[in-house]
Amino acid sequence: MGIYTFPVMLVGGIGLLAGVILAAASKFFAVEVDERATKIRECLPGANCGGCGFAGCDDYAANLIANPDLPTNLCPVGGAAVAQKISEIMGVSFEAATPKHAVVHCNGTCQNTKYAIDYEGPQTCAACNTMFGGRGTCNFGCIGFGDCVAACQYDAIHIVDGVAVVDPENCIACGACARACPKGLITMIPETSQIYVSCSSKAKGAVTRQACSVGCIACRKCEKSCPSGAITVNNNVASIDPEKCTNCGLCMSQCPTGAIRNVMYCDGNPANTAAHD
Amino acid sequence: MKELMIILFSAILVNNYPLSKFLGICPFLGVSKKLDSAVGMSAAVIFVMLMATAATWPIYDMLLEPNGLAYLQTIVFILVIAALVQLVETILKKYVPALYKALGVYLPLITTNCAVLGVTVLNITENYNFVESMVNSLGAGLGFMLAMVLFAGVRTRLENIDAPKYFQGLPITLLAASLVSASFIGFSGVVDGLFM
């Protein structure tokens, strides 16, 4: 019997000792977790999309506790409902977030622009962008392999006719597509503003004109026509300040190339595009 | 001193754990997608390997061998390493949050990783004394880090290649791993020459 009892006792004893030490350690070295963090984490949707600017829902919850001045309305997925719950837990006044959605500042569809090279490499925008800055005649436009589509968790962006188009109904403005786009074509604008510049070409007007029929040629007609001074032309491309824009649409009618568009007509349907033209 | 240097460098280059002994392949393939997570994982492996050796060598030398229980080494080592990593994790969480944040995610992953268990068992098999065992563990950890960093570089390149459909993903990764492994054969015999 002796040859069995000692090994069994030894292994059992080591196991027991380890168990006791671990139990004691978990008591003595316990880290107090702020229960508000757990509560906030339960409120958050758990999409872990990074739209708030932190590494995930857990990280946002931890940062809210660590830094009470942090806005409670950063979660784009949960929106106002979640922001209100967090504000209640944190005991701060609630401030509704302006809902946003993504827009693609390019309208270089197959009709409007052409391919300059016959690209046969890996079918991703990031890879294609390393070759002469994309396959199209415009060096600033949408490459169209859909890195943004792959990044989107909400089925809110698609490649239609060679260019990325956002579906505002599904978009929650997490910004994943904007981070994935090697051209930086995608920005988040408030849901209330509908007019946007569908071009990002920083090339001179004549060059843009040759590359694409709907590019911004920086003629400044929109800048002059805007009654609220919301449009500025910088680096050969117009940009609209959503804070000042009143959605009057005057710039759209002034634009000679149709580079300023209304998100409502941008579902990629040619009929809709024609209607706005 | 010369023997220790030989042990250290042969553990890093010649007997590289993932690439020559094929231990710890799971984290080698799993966590090598990005350089920063590869470095974090390797740091955790070095840390755990050193701690595991420091704990298991005395247990074997003083408890198991004198009682003729050497056959129990695998199960006892697993038990001790698992408990130890758990304990260290709790202590780090309390006193060194910065280190816990850097290594914390990887610690449970390598609790009973075969590379960690392998290094403790091989220390016994090779009849190393305590200092030699520690040096060997350090070398094994550094070798793991070298392999991870090299392979993370290879893998970031693999992301951008146009592989045939049936080679995409894991197959092409395994092919790349075998090439990196084959290149390490070139180191055999180097260490003896280094310290002549």
Side-chain angles (χ1 to χ4, degrees):
Chain A
M1 275 309 280
I3 58 164
Y4 298 120
T5 44
F6 184 66
V8 170
M9 276 169 63
L10 183 77
V11 176
I14 293 178
L16 192 69
L17 190 69
V20 170
I21 291 176
L22 281 183
S26 68
K27 199 162 165 56
F28 284 120
F29 300 118
V31 180
E32 284 165 30
V33 180
D34 198 320
E35 61 179 23
R36 288 180 303 167
T38 330
K39 273 190 188 164
I40 291 176
R41 178 63 191 84
E42 281 165 9
C43 294
L44 290 167
N48 286 320
C49 61
C52 53
F54 295 98
C57 297
D58 284 326
D59 202 27
Y60 181 41
N63 272 286
L64 271 169
I65 299 300
N67 178 12
D69 294 332
L70 200 68
T72 54
N73 57 10
L74 292 181
C75 179
V77 183
V82 164
Q84 187 149 25
K85 274 191 208 159
I86 298 176
S87 305
E88 276 167 22
I89 296 168
M90 293 290 292
V92 295
S93 61
F94 161 68
E95 205 173 296
T98 331
K100 290 185 172 183
H101 61 90
V103 288
V104 181
H105 294 283
C106 177
N107 188 24
T109 59
C110 299
Q111 289 83 40
N112 295 334
T113 183
K114 292 190 181 62
Y115 291 144
I117 53 175
D118 192 8
Y119 175 77
E120 286 183 351
Q123 305 287 302
T124 65
C125 304
C128 186
N129 189 33
T130 58
M131 304 261 187
F132 311 108
R135 56 179 172 171
T137 46
C138 175
N139 262 351
F140 301 91
C142 178
I143 299 171
F145 282 118
D147 283 15
C148 49
V149 180
C152 184
Q153 295 179 37
Y154 301 93
D155 193 34
I157 191 163
H158 303 279
I159 301 296
V160 182
D161 213 6
V163 67
V165 175
V166 178
D167 178 0
E169 285 198 359
N170 285 353
C171 182
I172 52 97
C174 65
C177 51
R179 287 189 289 275
C181 182
K183 293 294 189 190
L185 295 175
I186 307 172
T187 58
M188 307 300 138
I189 62 170
E191 222 156 60
T192 46
S193 49
Q194 296 173 351
I195 314 290
Y196 76 104
V197 183
S198 69
C199 180
S200 303
S201 172
K202 294 179 183 63
K204 290 216 167 96
V207 180
T208 308
R209 198 67 161 134
Q210 276 175 358
C212 177
S213 61
V214 292
C216 172
I217 53 172
C219 64
R220 294 176 186 267
K221 272 192 181 170
C222 50
E223 197 181 71
K224 285 170 203 147
S225 71
C226 184
S228 43
I231 307 186
T232 47
V233 177
N234 270 330
N235 290 327
N236 294 315
V237 65
S239 66
I240 300 177
D241 182 356
E243 302 253 310
K244 293 183 191 159
C245 178
T246 57
N247 293 322
C248 67
L250 204 59
C251 47
M252 277 167 65
S253 59
Q254 288 291 318
C255 183
T257 58
I260 299 180
R261 308 175 82 210
N262 188 319
V263 277
M264 291 302 151
Y265 299 113
C266 293
D267 60 2
N269 186 336
N272 273 345
T273 321
H276 120 79
D277 283 338
Chain B
M1 198 60 208
K2 195 173 129 188
E3 285 78 27
L4 291 183
M5 290 307 272
I6 289 178
I7 289 174
L8 180 70
F9 279 91
S10 56
I12 294 177
L13 296 174
V14 185
N15 299 324
N16 191 289
Y17 270 66
L19 294 176
S20 299
K21 286 193 195 296
F22 306 116
L23 290 169
I25 293 293
C26 173
F28 179 64
L29 292 176
V31 202
S32 59
K33 267 193 186 144
K34 282 189 182 149
L35 187 61
D36 48 349
S37 54
V39 171
M41 179 80 190
S42 315
V45 167
I46 295 178
F47 184 67
V48 172
M49 274 181 171
L50 284 172
M51 293 234 320
T53 306
T56 53
W57 197 89
I59 286 182
Y60 182 87
D61 196 54
M62 293 177 216
L63 209 57
L64 297 183
E65 212 195 5
N67 294 311
L69 297 174
Y71 63 90
L72 278 178
Q73 72 172 24
T74 311
I75 191 166
V76 170
F77 282 11
I78 291 177
L79 189 63
V80 171
I81 295 171
L84 188 73
V85 174
Q86 288 281 314
L87 183 67
V88 170
E89 204 188 336
T90 6
I91 295 176
L92 280 187
K93 205 172 180 180
K94 172 91 175 172
Y95 293 109
V96 204
L99 196 61
Y100 176 77
K101 222 175 174 180
L103 304 184
V105 214
Y106 307 110
L107 280 178
L109 277 178
I110 45 173
T111 315
T112 41
N113 183 280
C114 62
V116 176
L117 186 64
V119 77
T120 54
V121 171
L122 284 171
N123 283 335
I124 308 295
T125 327
E126 298 279 337
N127 281 322
Y128 288 148
N129 64 31
F130 186 71
V131 179
E132 286 168 346
S133 294
M134 291 303 282
V135 170
N136 186 43
S137 307
L138 178 68
L142 288 175
F144 186 83
M145 182 178 249
L146 177 69
M148 288 286 275
V149 168
L150 287 178
F151 197 55
V154 173
R155 279 193 83 166
T156 44
R157 293 281 169 160
L158 280 184
E159 298 268 303
N160 270 346
I161 61 148
D162 197 16
K165 192 185 169 198
Y166 299 103
F167 277 109
Q168 280 168 13
L170 199 55
I172 195 82
T173 311
L174 286 172
L175 274 177
S178 63
L179 289 177
V180 176
S181 169
S183 70
F184 263 66
I185 293 176
F187 283 119
S188 52
V190 161
V191 173
D192 294 339
L194 265 183
F195 300 99
M196 281 297 269

